[in-house]
Amino acid sequence: MHVPDILLSNEIESALKSELIGKYVFLFDEVDSTNTKARELAEKGYDEGTVIMAENQSKGRGRLGRVWVSPPGVNFYISIILKPELVPAKATRITMLVAVAVASVLRKTLSLPVTIRWPNDILVRDRKLGGILIEMDSEMDRVNYVVIGIGINVNMDISILPDGLQKTATSIKRELGHEVKRIDILIPLLKGIGYWYRVYKKDGIHPVLNEWINLSSILGKRIRLSTPKKVIEGKAEGIDEDGRLIIGFPDGSFELASSGDVTVIK
Ligand code: BT5
C-alpha cells in the first residue's frame, strides 16, 4: 500500500519552535508561486524567518521568467522571508549561504554527492536537483526584505517532466532509488538554513565562501557562461565575496560575472 506523504504545518512549527527560521510556517495546497505569496506576506509585515510552502505551484518560476516545473505532493516549494542588513548589491550572499545550507544538509542526511553550480543550482552528478530564486524589496542603500525561494525535487518521477528536462534534471527518489519521507529532510533543511544564516550574521561571508568553494561543481573547470547579452568561455577560477564568478582567460586576464548560466565544457 502506498502511504501518502503528508506535511503538516503544526508538525513543522513544533519541530522548529526555538529556531529563527520556521517559527511561523504557512503550508498551502496550491499557490501560483510561493515567492509571490511570501512577498505578499512580507508586505503585510510578517517577520523574518516566516516560511511559506506549497504542495503545488501553478506558476512556479525560476530566473528571467523561466518556469519551475512544480508537480503536486512530491517536492519542496519553499520560500523564506529574511530581513538581513545589506545593501542590494550584496544580496547574492543570501543565495550563497542558502545554497551551502541546502547542499550540505542533503549530503549529510542522504549521503548523496550534492554540489552547487554557480549561481543558484543544486546538482547531483551533474543533474539539477533543485534551484534557488532570490527576490527582494529594496531602497538604494538597503534591503527591506529578501524572499529566498527553494525548489527541490524529492519524490518526483523524472518521467513526468517535459522531454527537454528529463536528461538534465533529477530527484532524490531517482538518485536513491526509493521515496523518502519529506519531513525527515525538511526539518534538517530549515535548521541548516538557520544555522548558516547565523554563521553569516556572526562571522560574515568568509565561512560561507569557504564552504561554497568546497561544494562547487565548477571551480577549476573550463566553462561556458551564457547571459542574455553574450556567451564567453574561460576557466572558473573562483568566486568573490559578493558571489561574482571569476572567469580566467588564456592571456591571463579575468572577468567578473554577476549573473548567467554556466555549463562545464567537457
Ligand atoms: C532556478 O531558476 O533554478 C530557481 C528555481 C526556484 C524554484 C522555487 S520553488 C519555490 C519558489 N517559488 C517559485 O516560484 N520559485 C521558487 P533557473 O536557474 O532560472 O532555472 C530554471 C530552469 O530550470 C528552467 O528553465 C528549466 O530548464 C529547469 N527546470 C525547471 N523546473 C525544473 C525542475 N523541477 N527540476 C529541475 N530543473 C527544472
Side-chain angles (χ1 to χ4, degrees):
M1 195 181 75
H2 187 262
V3 183
D5 180 39
I6 296 166
L7 293 172
L8 299 167
S9 57
N10 55 2
E11 192 182 350
I12 303 166
E13 275 177 359
S14 65
L16 296 166
K17 58 177 177 286
S18 57
E19 302 278 329
L20 170 67
I21 290 172
K23 204 186 289 174
Y24 303 104
V25 176
F26 290 84
L27 176 58
F28 295 95
D29 281 340
E30 177 172 322
V31 293
D32 48 2
S33 151
T34 56
N35 265 34
T36 305
K37 202 77 199 169
R39 291 175 76 149
E40 285 168 22
L41 293 173
E43 292 292 337
K44 287 185 184 155
Y46 273 87
D47 270 352
E48 166 157 279
T50 303
V51 173
I52 294 88
M53 297 183 57
E55 286 290 13
N56 189 6
Q57 295 189 116
S58 56
K59 277 199 183 135
R61 60 174 178 264
R63 293 172 299 152
L64 307 170
R66 292 168 185 156
V67 172
W68 186 255
V69 181
S70 307
V74 285
N75 290 337
F76 289 141
Y77 314 116
I78 306 171
S79 296
I80 304 171
I81 299 171
L82 294 175
K83 300 184 176 174
E85 279 178 28
L86 266 179
V87 294
K90 296 198 185 300
T92 311
R93 293 177 168 198
I94 307 296
T95 306
M96 289 167 73
L97 78 87
V98 171
V100 163
V102 171
S104 52
V105 167
L106 295 180
R107 274 181 172 247
K108 215 184 268 168
T109 52
L110 303 167
S111 299
L112 286 174
V114 182
T115 57
I116 303 169
R117 179 173 61 196
W118 185 91
N120 67 323
D121 292 337
I122 303 295
L123 303 186
V124 178
R125 302 181 184 101
D126 285 337
R127 283 170 173 259
K128 189 154 165 172
L129 179 75
I132 296 168
L133 177 68
I134 187 168
E135 296 178 330
M136 64 182 149
D137 182 73
S138 62
E139 315 289 331
M140 283 287 281
D141 57 346
R142 77 186 177 101
V143 167
N144 296 328
Y145 64 80
V146 159
V147 166
I148 191 92
I150 305 156
I152 300 174
N153 301 327
V154 185
N155 291 326
M156 177 178 78
D157 284 316
I158 296 304
S159 58
I160 63 119
L161 289 172
D163 277 357
L165 288 182
Q166 292 193 17
K167 287 197 189 74
T168 60
T170 192
S171 67
I172 291 174
K173 179 180 178 183
R174 180 181 181 277
E175 294 301 323
L176 291 180
H178 59 81
E179 293 189 358
V180 292
K181 225 175 138 208
R182 285 178 299 165
I183 189 85
D184 295 343
I185 301 164
L186 180 65
I187 301 303
L189 197 63
L190 294 175
K191 282 188 177 168
I193 295 168
Y195 168 81
W196 280 101
Y197 190 47
R198 280 198 303 278
V199 168
Y200 166 67
K201 285 202 292 191
K202 185 165 161 284
D203 299 326
I205 195 64
H206 284 278
V208 175
L209 198 56
N210 288 339
E211 200 52 28
W212 195 100
I213 290 167
N214 285 337
L215 291 165
S216 165
S217 66
I218 64 164
L219 293 188
K221 296 188 179 156
R222 270 181 45 76
I223 53 133
R224 183 176 300 119
L225 173 81
S226 311
T227 72
K229 286 201 192 113
K230 59 179 179 179
V231 177
I232 55 174
E233 291 187 5
K235 189 170 162 206
E237 298 280 3
I239 178 172
D240 78 1
E241 294 182 353
D242 296 330
R244 289 175 300 190
L245 185 65
I246 305 163
I247 304 170
F249 303 103
D251 66 0
S253 65
F254 289 91
E255 192 165 320
L256 285 175
S258 42
S259 63
D261 290 288
V262 164
T263 46
V264 172
I265 304 170
K266 298 243 164 84

